[in-house]
Amino acid sequence: MLIVATGVLLQSFFITGCTKNDPVNNDPPPPPPPPAAVVPTVSTTQISDITTGTAGSGGNITSDGGASVTARGVCWSVNANPTVTDQKSTDGTGTGSFTTSITSLTPNTTYNVRAYATNSAGTGYGNSQSFTTKGTDVLTSSEQIFPGKIGTTASVALDGVNVTCELINGLYIYQGDIILPGSQGQPTKGAALDVKSKYWPSNKVYYTISTSLPNQTRVTQAINAIKEVTHLEFIQRTTEPNYIEFIYDADGCSSYLGMSGGKQEIRLANWGTMGNVIHEICHALGMLHEHSKKGRDNFITIVNANIIERYIHNFAEYTKSVNTPTGTEDMDFQSIMLYSPYSFSKNNGATITKKNGTTFTVQRLYLSQNDIDIINFMYPPVVVTLRDADNNEYPTVRIGNQLWMAENLKVTKYNDRTSLTINSNNTAWSTSTTGSFCWYNNDDSNKNSYGALYNWIAVNSGKLCPDGWRVPTESDWSTLIDYLGGATGNSGKLKTTTQWASPNAGATNSSGFSAKPGGYRYYTGTFGGMTYGADWWTSTSFSDDKAWVVGVNYNNTNISKYNDNKRNGFAVRCVKE
Protein backbone atom coordinates (compact mmCIF):
# COMPACT_ATOMS: atom_id res chain seq x y z
CA MET A 1 0.00 0.00 0.00
CA LEU A 2 2.71 2.33 0.86
CA ILE A 3 4.64 1.62 -2.35
CA VAL A 4 1.66 2.18 -4.60
CA ALA A 5 0.79 5.44 -2.95
CA THR A 6 4.31 6.65 -3.37
CA GLY A 7 4.20 5.91 -7.09
CA VAL A 8 1.04 7.85 -7.44
CA LEU A 9 2.53 10.79 -5.69
CA LEU A 10 5.54 10.81 -7.98
CA GLN A 11 3.35 10.65 -11.03
CA SER A 12 1.34 13.55 -9.78
CA PHE A 13 4.49 15.66 -9.23
CA PHE A 14 5.75 15.04 -12.76
CA ILE A 15 2.53 16.25 -14.35
CA THR A 16 2.44 19.32 -12.20
CA GLY A 17 6.00 20.32 -13.33
CA CYS A 18 5.04 20.43 -17.08
CA THR A 19 2.24 22.97 -17.19
CA LYS A 20 1.65 25.21 -20.21
CA ASN A 21 3.00 28.26 -18.33
CA ASP A 22 6.54 26.89 -18.22
CA PRO A 23 8.75 29.10 -20.49
CA VAL A 24 11.69 26.81 -20.99
CA ASN A 25 11.08 25.99 -24.75
CA ASN A 26 9.75 29.43 -26.03
CA ASP A 27 11.77 31.63 -28.83
CA PRO A 28 13.54 34.91 -27.76
CA PRO A 29 11.52 38.16 -28.21
CA PRO A 30 12.05 40.12 -31.58
CA PRO A 31 14.52 43.15 -31.64
CA PRO A 32 13.05 46.69 -31.40
CA PRO A 33 12.34 48.44 -34.81
CA PRO A 34 15.15 50.75 -36.24
CA PRO A 35 14.78 54.53 -35.75
CA ALA A 36 13.14 56.46 -38.61
CA ALA A 37 15.50 58.10 -41.23
CA VAL A 38 16.03 61.88 -41.12
CA VAL A 39 17.27 64.31 -43.78
CA PRO A 40 21.05 64.35 -44.37
CA THR A 41 23.37 66.76 -42.59
CA VAL A 42 25.25 69.00 -45.05
CA SER A 43 27.34 72.17 -44.96
CA THR A 44 28.04 74.68 -47.76
CA THR A 45 31.64 75.33 -48.75
CA GLN A 46 33.04 78.82 -49.20
CA ILE A 47 32.17 80.53 -52.51
CA SER A 48 35.23 81.00 -54.76
CA ASP A 49 36.35 81.92 -58.30
CA ILE A 50 33.66 84.56 -58.75
CA THR A 51 33.42 86.01 -62.27
CA THR A 52 30.74 87.98 -64.10
CA GLY A 53 28.75 84.83 -64.81
CA THR A 54 30.15 81.94 -62.79
CA ALA A 55 31.31 80.97 -59.30
CA GLY A 56 32.73 77.95 -57.54
CA SER A 57 30.96 76.23 -54.65
CA GLY A 58 30.24 72.79 -53.17
CA GLY A 59 29.33 71.06 -49.95
CA ASN A 60 30.20 68.40 -47.37
CA ILE A 61 27.69 65.73 -46.32
CA THR A 62 28.70 64.53 -42.84
CA SER A 63 25.66 62.27 -42.23
CA ASP A 64 23.29 60.52 -44.61
CA GLY A 65 20.51 60.70 -41.97
CA GLY A 66 20.04 56.96 -41.90
CA ALA A 67 19.26 56.50 -45.61
CA SER A 68 21.31 56.58 -48.80
CA VAL A 69 21.92 60.03 -50.30
CA THR A 70 20.46 59.83 -53.81
CA ALA A 71 21.14 63.40 -54.96
CA ARG A 72 23.41 66.24 -53.92
CA GLY A 73 24.60 69.61 -55.20
CA VAL A 74 24.02 73.30 -54.59
CA CYS A 75 21.02 75.50 -55.29
CA TRP A 76 21.01 79.23 -55.78
CA SER A 77 18.68 82.17 -56.18
CA VAL A 78 18.57 85.94 -55.79
CA ASN A 79 16.08 85.21 -52.98
CA ALA A 80 17.01 84.08 -49.48
CA ASN A 81 17.27 80.38 -48.58
CA PRO A 82 17.14 78.84 -52.06
CA THR A 83 15.77 75.31 -52.48
CA VAL A 84 15.98 72.57 -55.10
CA THR A 85 12.99 74.16 -56.83
CA ASP A 86 15.33 77.03 -57.76
CA GLN A 87 18.38 76.69 -60.00
CA LYS A 88 20.60 73.85 -58.87
CA SER A 89 23.53 71.64 -59.77
CA THR A 90 23.56 67.85 -59.62
CA ASP A 91 26.82 66.43 -58.27
CA GLY A 92 26.49 62.69 -57.66
CA THR A 93 25.33 60.69 -54.65
CA GLY A 94 26.57 59.56 -51.25
CA THR A 95 28.25 61.34 -48.39
CA GLY A 96 31.50 63.30 -48.29
CA SER A 97 32.63 66.55 -49.88
CA PHE A 98 32.06 67.70 -53.45
CA THR A 99 32.74 70.77 -55.57
CA THR A 100 30.69 72.31 -58.35
CA SER A 101 30.38 75.30 -60.66
CA ILE A 102 27.52 77.75 -60.58
CA THR A 103 26.89 79.06 -64.10
CA SER A 104 24.64 81.30 -66.19
CA LEU A 105 24.70 84.10 -63.63
CA THR A 106 24.01 87.76 -64.32
CA PRO A 107 26.84 90.28 -63.86
CA ASN A 108 26.79 92.58 -60.82
CA THR A 109 24.06 90.56 -59.09
CA THR A 110 23.88 89.20 -55.52
CA TYR A 111 22.99 85.50 -55.16
CA ASN A 112 22.28 83.19 -52.21
CA VAL A 113 23.65 79.64 -52.28
CA ARG A 114 23.01 76.49 -50.17
CA ALA A 115 24.36 72.97 -50.55
CA TYR A 116 21.71 70.26 -50.50
CA ALA A 117 21.49 66.46 -50.05
CA THR A 118 18.43 64.27 -50.58
CA ASN A 119 17.50 60.85 -49.13
CA SER A 120 14.24 58.98 -48.62
CA ALA A 121 13.33 61.24 -45.72
CA GLY A 122 13.66 64.44 -47.75
CA THR A 123 16.21 67.13 -48.51
CA GLY A 124 18.61 68.70 -46.07
CA TYR A 125 20.28 72.08 -46.68
CA GLY A 126 23.54 73.60 -45.61
CA ASN A 127 24.17 77.07 -44.36
CA SER A 128 23.26 79.88 -46.76
CA GLN A 129 26.03 81.99 -48.29
CA SER A 130 25.76 85.07 -50.45
CA PHE A 131 28.08 86.54 -53.11
CA THR A 132 27.96 89.19 -55.83
CA THR A 133 29.11 88.54 -59.37
CA LYS A 134 31.60 90.93 -60.93
CA GLY A 135 30.32 93.84 -62.96
CA THR A 136 30.55 94.23 -66.72
CA ASP A 137 33.45 96.65 -66.29
CA VAL A 138 35.58 93.52 -65.97
CA LEU A 139 34.34 92.27 -69.34
CA THR A 140 35.18 95.50 -71.13
CA SER A 141 38.89 94.89 -70.51
CA SER A 142 39.02 91.11 -70.91
CA GLU A 143 36.36 90.21 -73.44
CA GLN A 144 34.57 86.85 -73.21
CA ILE A 145 32.08 85.20 -75.51
CA PHE A 146 30.32 83.14 -72.81
CA PRO A 147 31.14 84.68 -69.41
CA GLY A 148 28.36 82.72 -67.71
CA LYS A 149 29.19 79.28 -69.08
CA ILE A 150 31.85 76.66 -68.51
CA GLY A 151 32.95 74.38 -71.31
CA THR A 152 35.32 71.48 -71.76
CA THR A 153 38.97 71.92 -72.68
CA ALA A 154 40.08 71.03 -76.17
CA SER A 155 43.32 71.24 -78.13
CA VAL A 156 43.44 73.04 -81.50
CA ALA A 157 46.44 73.42 -83.83
CA LEU A 158 47.49 77.02 -84.40
CA ASP A 159 50.18 77.05 -87.09
CA GLY A 160 51.40 73.67 -85.92
CA VAL A 161 51.36 74.59 -82.24
CA ASN A 162 48.69 72.96 -80.10
CA VAL A 163 46.85 75.56 -78.06
CA THR A 164 44.23 74.92 -75.41
CA CYS A 165 40.72 76.20 -76.01
CA GLU A 166 37.34 75.90 -74.36
CA LEU A 167 34.66 74.05 -76.29
CA ILE A 168 31.31 75.76 -75.62
CA ASN A 169 28.19 75.40 -77.75
CA GLY A 170 30.24 73.76 -80.50
CA LEU A 171 32.71 76.68 -80.72
CA TYR A 172 36.43 76.48 -79.95
CA ILE A 173 37.10 79.57 -77.82
CA TYR A 174 40.70 80.77 -77.58
CA GLN A 175 41.71 83.27 -74.87
CA GLY A 176 38.14 84.12 -74.00
CA ASP A 177 36.79 85.77 -77.15
CA ILE A 178 38.56 84.37 -80.24
CA ILE A 179 36.76 81.67 -82.21
CA LEU A 180 39.16 79.23 -83.90
CA PRO A 181 38.45 76.58 -86.53
CA GLY A 182 38.07 73.17 -84.95
CA SER A 183 40.95 71.51 -86.77
CA GLN A 184 43.50 74.14 -87.71
CA GLY A 185 44.15 77.75 -86.77
CA GLN A 186 46.55 80.26 -88.26
CA PRO A 187 50.00 81.70 -87.41
CA THR A 188 50.63 85.21 -86.20
CA LYS A 189 52.65 88.30 -87.07
CA GLY A 190 53.19 90.45 -84.01
CA ALA A 191 49.86 89.88 -82.40
CA ALA A 192 48.35 89.09 -85.78
CA LEU A 193 47.99 86.51 -88.52
CA ASP A 194 50.73 86.13 -91.12
CA VAL A 195 48.72 84.20 -93.70
CA LYS A 196 47.81 86.27 -96.73
CA SER A 197 44.84 84.03 -97.51
CA LYS A 198 43.31 85.11 -94.21
CA TYR A 199 43.66 88.82 -94.97
CA TRP A 200 40.78 90.74 -96.48
CA PRO A 201 41.63 91.05 -100.19
CA SER A 202 42.41 94.50 -101.57
CA ASN A 203 42.01 95.91 -98.04
CA LYS A 204 38.21 95.75 -98.42
CA VAL A 205 36.16 94.49 -95.48
CA TYR A 206 32.51 93.91 -96.27
CA TYR A 207 29.99 93.95 -93.45
CA THR A 208 26.36 94.05 -92.39
CA ILE A 209 24.77 95.03 -89.09
CA SER A 210 21.89 92.94 -87.76
CA THR A 211 18.73 94.96 -87.18
CA SER A 212 18.43 93.29 -83.76
CA LEU A 213 21.76 94.69 -82.55
CA PRO A 214 21.26 97.43 -79.93
CA ASN A 215 23.28 100.66 -80.16
CA GLN A 216 24.45 100.20 -83.73
CA THR A 217 26.33 103.50 -83.70
CA ARG A 218 29.12 101.84 -81.67
CA VAL A 219 29.84 99.70 -84.75
CA THR A 220 30.02 102.62 -87.16
CA GLN A 221 32.12 104.60 -84.69
CA ALA A 222 34.55 101.69 -84.33
CA ILE A 223 34.81 101.25 -88.10
CA ASN A 224 35.52 104.95 -88.58
CA ALA A 225 38.19 104.88 -85.86
CA ILE A 226 40.02 102.09 -87.72
CA LYS A 227 39.55 103.60 -91.18
CA GLU A 228 41.01 106.90 -90.01
CA VAL A 229 44.47 105.48 -89.33
CA THR A 230 44.75 102.50 -91.69
CA HIS A 231 44.51 101.67 -95.39
CA LEU A 232 41.39 99.56 -94.87
CA GLU A 233 38.07 100.16 -96.56
CA PHE A 234 34.85 99.02 -94.85
CA ILE A 235 31.99 98.56 -97.29
CA GLN A 236 28.38 97.58 -96.58
CA ARG A 237 27.85 94.19 -98.12
CA THR A 238 25.50 93.57 -101.05
CA THR A 239 26.24 90.14 -102.58
CA GLU A 240 29.90 89.66 -101.60
CA PRO A 241 30.47 86.07 -100.34
CA ASN A 242 32.96 86.91 -97.57
CA TYR A 243 31.72 89.37 -94.97
CA ILE A 244 31.27 90.19 -91.30
CA GLU A 245 27.85 90.36 -89.68
CA PHE A 246 27.61 92.26 -86.42
CA ILE A 247 25.00 90.47 -84.32
CA TYR A 248 23.57 90.68 -80.81
CA ASP A 249 24.63 88.10 -78.25
CA ALA A 250 23.25 88.41 -74.75
CA ASP A 251 26.25 86.56 -73.33
CA GLY A 252 29.35 88.33 -74.56
CA CYS A 253 31.64 89.70 -77.27
CA SER A 254 33.69 87.60 -79.69
CA SER A 255 35.06 87.28 -83.21
CA TYR A 256 36.64 84.82 -85.59
CA LEU A 257 40.35 85.21 -86.28
CA GLY A 258 41.09 86.73 -89.68
CA MET A 259 38.83 86.29 -92.69
CA SER A 260 37.33 82.84 -92.19
CA GLY A 261 35.37 82.72 -95.47
CA GLY A 262 31.66 83.15 -96.00
CA LYS A 263 29.66 84.93 -93.34
CA GLN A 264 31.50 85.35 -90.05
CA GLU A 265 29.93 86.87 -86.98
CA ILE A 266 31.18 89.46 -84.55
CA ARG A 267 29.04 88.99 -81.47
CA LEU A 268 28.32 91.97 -79.25
CA ALA A 269 26.64 92.05 -75.86
CA ASN A 270 24.94 95.11 -74.44
CA TRP A 271 27.98 95.82 -72.28
CA GLY A 272 30.25 96.03 -75.34
CA THR A 273 31.51 99.58 -75.90
CA MET A 274 32.92 101.14 -79.07
CA GLY A 275 36.36 100.10 -77.82
CA ASN A 276 35.24 96.49 -77.43
CA VAL A 277 33.96 96.61 -81.00
CA ILE A 278 37.37 97.88 -82.20
CA HIS A 279 38.98 95.00 -80.28
CA GLU A 280 36.75 92.40 -81.95
CA ILE A 281 37.16 93.91 -85.42
CA CYS A 282 40.93 93.68 -84.92
CA HIS A 283 40.54 89.95 -84.27
CA ALA A 284 38.56 89.68 -87.53
CA LEU A 285 41.42 91.47 -89.28
CA GLY A 286 43.81 88.86 -87.86
CA MET A 287 45.16 90.32 -84.61
CA LEU A 288 45.69 88.35 -81.40
CA HIS A 289 46.02 89.47 -77.79
CA GLU A 290 49.07 91.48 -76.81
CA HIS A 291 49.72 89.53 -73.59
CA SER A 292 50.35 86.26 -75.46
CA LYS A 293 53.06 87.54 -77.83
CA LYS A 294 56.44 85.86 -78.06
CA GLY A 295 58.95 87.25 -75.57
CA ARG A 296 56.29 88.68 -73.29
CA ASP A 297 57.98 87.14 -70.21
CA ASN A 298 60.71 89.77 -70.55
CA PHE A 299 58.13 92.43 -69.69
CA ILE A 300 55.26 90.85 -67.76
CA THR A 301 54.67 88.18 -65.14
CA ILE A 302 51.69 85.84 -65.34
CA VAL A 303 50.54 85.23 -61.75
CA ASN A 304 49.08 81.73 -62.03
CA ALA A 305 48.24 81.59 -58.30
CA ASN A 306 45.60 84.29 -58.83
CA ILE A 307 44.02 82.84 -61.99
CA ILE A 308 40.92 80.67 -61.92
CA GLU A 309 42.43 77.28 -62.69
CA ARG A 310 40.23 76.46 -65.67
CA TYR A 311 41.32 79.72 -67.38
CA ILE A 312 45.10 79.43 -66.96
CA HIS A 313 45.42 78.31 -70.59
CA ASN A 314 44.16 81.76 -71.68
CA PHE A 315 47.51 83.20 -70.57
CA ALA A 316 49.81 80.89 -72.56
CA GLU A 317 52.57 82.50 -74.62
CA TYR A 318 52.22 81.96 -78.35
CA THR A 319 55.80 81.17 -79.25
CA LYS A 320 55.44 81.49 -83.02
CA SER A 321 54.46 85.13 -83.02
CA VAL A 322 56.64 87.92 -84.39
CA ASN A 323 55.91 90.94 -82.31
CA THR A 324 55.97 94.02 -84.52
CA PRO A 325 56.78 94.95 -88.11
CA THR A 326 60.14 96.32 -86.92
CA GLY A 327 60.98 93.22 -84.89
CA THR A 328 61.08 94.91 -81.49
CA GLU A 329 60.22 92.85 -78.45
CA ASP A 330 58.57 95.59 -76.39
CA MET A 331 55.25 95.01 -74.66
CA ASP A 332 52.69 97.61 -75.68
CA PHE A 333 50.86 98.50 -72.49
CA GLN A 334 48.61 100.87 -74.47
CA SER A 335 47.43 98.23 -76.94
CA ILE A 336 43.67 97.87 -77.24
CA MET A 337 44.41 94.13 -77.57
CA LEU A 338 45.97 93.79 -74.09
CA TYR A 339 44.20 91.91 -71.29
CA SER A 340 43.30 93.66 -68.07
CA PRO A 341 45.81 92.98 -65.24
CA TYR A 342 42.91 91.39 -63.33
CA SER A 343 41.52 89.18 -66.09
CA PHE A 344 40.07 85.87 -64.84
CA SER A 345 41.18 86.55 -61.25
CA LYS A 346 39.83 84.19 -58.60
CA ASN A 347 40.64 86.40 -55.63
CA ASN A 348 40.75 89.98 -56.96
CA GLY A 349 44.52 89.72 -57.13
CA ALA A 350 46.41 90.71 -60.27
CA THR A 351 46.83 87.98 -62.89
CA ILE A 352 49.26 90.01 -65.04
CA THR A 353 51.86 92.43 -63.68
CA LYS A 354 54.86 94.25 -65.01
CA LYS A 355 58.20 92.66 -64.17
CA ASN A 356 58.55 94.99 -61.18
CA GLY A 357 55.29 93.68 -59.74
CA THR A 358 53.19 96.75 -60.50
CA THR A 359 49.99 96.70 -62.51
CA PHE A 360 49.03 98.82 -65.49
CA THR A 361 45.98 100.61 -66.81
CA VAL A 362 44.26 98.86 -69.69
CA GLN A 363 42.29 100.86 -72.25
CA ARG A 364 39.43 100.19 -74.64
CA LEU A 365 39.22 103.58 -76.29
CA TYR A 366 41.57 103.72 -79.28
CA LEU A 367 44.18 101.88 -81.33
CA SER A 368 47.68 102.43 -80.00
CA GLN A 369 50.43 103.39 -82.41
CA ASN A 370 51.73 99.82 -82.26
CA ASP A 371 48.24 98.51 -83.09
CA ILE A 372 48.14 100.86 -86.08
CA ASP A 373 51.61 99.80 -87.22
CA ILE A 374 50.67 96.11 -87.15
CA ILE A 375 47.46 96.64 -89.10
CA ASN A 376 49.25 98.76 -91.70
CA PHE A 377 51.97 96.13 -91.94
CA MET A 378 49.33 93.51 -92.69
CA TYR A 379 47.34 95.81 -94.93
CA PRO A 380 49.73 98.16 -96.77
CA PRO A 381 48.37 100.62 -99.33
CA VAL A 382 46.77 98.95 -102.33
CA VAL A 383 48.90 99.73 -105.36
CA VAL A 384 47.04 100.66 -108.53
CA THR A 385 49.30 101.22 -111.52
CA LEU A 386 48.73 104.71 -112.85
CA ARG A 387 50.42 106.07 -115.99
CA ASP A 388 50.39 109.62 -117.27
CA ALA A 389 50.76 110.96 -120.82
CA ASP A 390 54.57 110.66 -120.52
CA ASN A 391 54.21 107.01 -119.45
CA ASN A 392 55.41 107.85 -115.91
CA GLU A 393 54.12 105.35 -113.33
CA TYR A 394 52.74 106.41 -109.95
CA PRO A 395 51.89 104.52 -106.76
CA THR A 396 48.40 105.14 -105.43
CA VAL A 397 46.77 104.90 -102.02
CA ARG A 398 43.16 104.54 -100.98
CA ILE A 399 42.25 106.86 -98.14
CA GLY A 400 38.65 106.48 -97.09
CA ASN A 401 36.54 106.37 -100.24
CA GLN A 402 39.09 108.27 -102.33
CA LEU A 403 41.98 106.93 -104.40
CA TRP A 404 44.94 109.33 -104.44
CA MET A 405 48.25 109.45 -106.24
CA ALA A 406 50.96 108.75 -103.65
CA GLU A 407 53.46 110.98 -105.48
CA ASN A 408 53.32 114.44 -107.01
CA LEU A 409 52.46 114.69 -110.69
CA LYS A 410 55.45 115.07 -113.05
CA VAL A 411 53.81 114.96 -116.49
CA THR A 412 54.91 117.40 -119.24
CA LYS A 413 51.91 116.83 -121.54
CA TYR A 414 48.18 117.09 -121.21
CA ASN A 415 46.24 113.83 -121.42
CA ASP A 416 45.44 114.69 -125.06
CA ARG A 417 49.22 114.54 -125.69
CA THR A 418 49.57 118.28 -126.36
CA SER A 419 52.59 119.78 -124.62
CA LEU A 420 52.75 122.02 -121.60
CA THR A 421 55.16 124.96 -121.63
CA ILE A 422 58.32 124.57 -119.58
CA ASN A 423 59.30 127.95 -118.18
CA SER A 424 62.77 128.34 -116.67
CA ASN A 425 63.05 132.12 -117.10
CA ASN A 426 61.61 134.10 -114.19
CA THR A 427 60.01 136.73 -116.38
CA ALA A 428 58.51 134.13 -118.69
CA TRP A 429 57.08 132.31 -115.68
CA SER A 430 55.64 135.49 -114.21
CA THR A 431 53.95 136.58 -117.45
CA SER A 432 52.91 133.22 -118.88
CA THR A 433 49.40 133.01 -120.29
CA THR A 434 49.59 129.27 -121.10
CA GLY A 435 49.68 126.14 -119.03
CA SER A 436 53.24 125.98 -117.70
CA PHE A 437 55.42 123.81 -115.48
CA CYS A 438 58.95 123.69 -114.11
CA TRP A 439 61.19 121.63 -111.84
CA TYR A 440 62.25 123.09 -108.49
CA ASN A 441 65.25 125.40 -109.05
CA ASN A 442 64.90 124.51 -112.76
CA ASP A 443 66.80 121.31 -111.88
CA ASP A 444 65.29 118.18 -113.44
CA SER A 445 67.05 116.03 -110.83
CA ASN A 446 64.17 117.07 -108.53
CA LYS A 447 61.63 115.52 -110.92
CA ASN A 448 61.38 112.00 -109.47
CA SER A 449 61.45 112.99 -105.80
CA TYR A 450 59.20 116.03 -105.84
CA GLY A 451 57.41 116.13 -109.19
CA ALA A 452 56.71 119.29 -111.17
CA LEU A 453 55.39 122.71 -110.16
CA TYR A 454 52.44 123.92 -112.28
CA ASN A 455 50.67 127.23 -112.72
CA TRP A 456 46.91 127.28 -112.29
CA ILE A 457 46.27 127.71 -116.00
CA ALA A 458 47.53 124.13 -116.45
CA VAL A 459 45.34 122.99 -113.55
CA ASN A 460 42.28 124.74 -114.94
CA SER A 461 42.68 123.03 -118.35
CA GLY A 462 40.95 119.90 -117.05
CA LYS A 463 43.50 117.83 -118.99
CA LEU A 464 46.43 117.64 -116.57
CA CYS A 465 45.62 114.32 -114.87
CA PRO A 466 45.42 110.89 -116.57
CA ASP A 467 42.07 109.88 -118.02
CA GLY A 468 39.60 109.06 -115.28
CA TRP A 469 41.50 111.14 -112.71
CA ARG A 470 41.16 114.80 -111.78
CA VAL A 471 42.92 117.61 -109.96
CA PRO A 472 41.10 117.57 -106.60
CA THR A 473 38.60 120.28 -105.86
CA GLU A 474 38.63 122.19 -102.60
CA SER A 475 35.80 119.87 -101.54
CA ASP A 476 37.88 116.76 -102.39
CA TRP A 477 40.64 118.01 -100.12
CA SER A 478 38.10 118.74 -97.37
CA THR A 479 36.88 115.14 -97.60
CA LEU A 480 40.44 113.90 -97.14
CA ILE A 481 41.13 116.27 -94.25
CA ASP A 482 37.91 115.32 -92.48
CA TYR A 483 38.72 111.63 -92.90
CA LEU A 484 42.11 112.19 -91.25
CA GLY A 485 40.41 113.80 -88.27
CA GLY A 486 40.43 117.47 -89.21
CA ALA A 487 42.90 120.14 -90.11
CA THR A 488 44.28 120.54 -86.59
CA GLY A 489 46.96 118.12 -85.45
CA ASN A 490 46.80 115.68 -88.37
CA SER A 491 49.34 116.78 -90.99
CA GLY A 492 51.76 114.11 -89.75
CA LYS A 493 49.48 111.48 -91.23
CA LEU A 494 50.31 112.90 -94.66
CA LYS A 495 54.06 113.53 -94.30
CA THR A 496 56.93 111.12 -94.94
CA THR A 497 59.30 110.59 -92.03
CA THR A 498 62.41 111.56 -94.06
CA GLN A 499 63.56 114.45 -96.28
CA TRP A 500 61.84 117.07 -94.12
CA ALA A 501 63.69 119.67 -92.06
CA SER A 502 63.67 119.09 -88.30
CA PRO A 503 61.45 118.69 -86.33
CA ASN A 504 59.11 117.28 -89.02
CA ALA A 505 56.34 117.61 -86.45
CA GLY A 506 54.11 114.58 -85.98
CA ALA A 507 55.23 112.78 -89.15
CA THR A 508 54.03 109.16 -89.40
CA ASN A 509 52.70 108.91 -92.98
CA SER A 510 50.04 106.61 -91.53
CA SER A 511 47.70 107.51 -94.41
CA GLY A 512 50.24 106.45 -97.06
CA PHE A 513 49.89 109.83 -98.81
CA SER A 514 53.71 110.25 -98.69
CA ALA A 515 53.93 114.04 -98.80
CA LYS A 516 57.49 115.28 -99.46
CA PRO A 517 58.69 118.88 -98.95
CA GLY A 518 59.07 119.87 -102.61
CA GLY A 519 58.62 123.62 -102.13
CA TYR A 520 56.96 126.05 -104.53
CA ARG A 521 57.63 128.84 -107.06
CA TYR A 522 56.50 132.41 -106.52
CA TYR A 523 54.74 134.23 -109.35
CA THR A 524 57.92 136.35 -109.63
CA GLY A 525 59.81 133.22 -110.64
CA THR A 526 61.84 132.66 -107.45
CA PHE A 527 61.75 129.33 -105.58
CA GLY A 528 61.30 128.54 -101.88
CA GLY A 529 60.21 126.01 -99.30
CA MET A 530 62.31 122.98 -100.25
CA THR A 531 62.52 120.66 -97.16
CA TYR A 532 60.17 123.02 -95.27
CA GLY A 533 56.79 122.68 -96.94
CA ALA A 534 54.54 120.89 -99.40
CA ASP A 535 51.68 122.69 -101.15
CA TRP A 536 49.17 121.49 -103.74
CA TRP A 537 46.75 123.21 -106.07
CA THR A 538 43.04 122.59 -105.93
CA SER A 539 40.95 123.02 -109.06
CA THR A 540 38.67 125.47 -107.23
CA SER A 541 39.00 129.14 -108.08
CA PHE A 542 38.76 131.73 -105.31
CA SER A 543 38.76 134.88 -107.46
CA ASP A 544 39.95 136.07 -110.83
CA ASP A 545 43.58 135.97 -109.75
CA LYS A 546 43.54 133.46 -106.84
CA ALA A 547 42.70 129.78 -106.29
CA TRP A 548 42.54 127.45 -103.28
CA VAL A 549 45.73 125.73 -102.12
CA VAL A 550 46.35 123.05 -99.45
CA GLY A 551 49.68 122.80 -97.61
CA VAL A 552 51.59 121.17 -94.74
CA ASN A 553 54.71 122.40 -92.96
CA TYR A 554 57.77 121.01 -91.19
CA ASN A 555 57.26 122.71 -87.82
CA ASN A 556 53.60 122.09 -86.98
CA THR A 557 50.93 119.41 -87.30
CA ASN A 558 48.16 121.40 -88.98
CA ILE A 559 46.85 121.16 -92.52
CA SER A 560 46.44 124.59 -94.08
CA LYS A 561 43.89 125.62 -96.67
CA TYR A 562 44.41 129.06 -98.18
CA ASN A 563 44.07 130.99 -101.43
CA ASP A 564 47.04 132.22 -103.46
CA ASN A 565 48.08 133.77 -106.77
CA LYS A 566 47.20 131.67 -109.81
CA ARG A 567 50.61 132.52 -111.36
CA ASN A 568 52.40 130.70 -108.51
CA GLY A 569 53.81 127.24 -109.07
CA PHE A 570 52.56 124.45 -106.80
CA ALA A 571 52.57 120.67 -106.91
CA VAL A 572 49.57 118.62 -108.04
CA ARG A 573 48.08 115.37 -106.81
CA CYS A 574 45.36 113.60 -108.80
CA VAL A 575 42.36 111.82 -107.24
CA LYS A 576 39.46 109.60 -108.21
CA GLU A 577 36.63 107.90 -106.35
Side-chain angles (χ1 to χ4, degrees), residues 278-298:
I278 293 175
H279 181 103
E280 300 303 343
I281 293 174
C282 285
H283 284 321
L285 296 176
M287 294 177 66
L288 286 170
H289 291 126
E290 180 74 8
H291 79 278
S292 64
K293 69 197 297 185
K294 179 182 177 181
R296 57 83 188 276
D297 290 335
N298 293 321

Side-chain angles (χ1 to χ4, degrees), residues 426-443:
N426 287 354
T427 301
W429 178 268
S430 177
T431 60
S432 177
T433 58
T434 62
S436 302
F437 78 97
C438 64
W439 315 116
Y440 189 90
N441 270 346
N442 295 315
D443 182 354

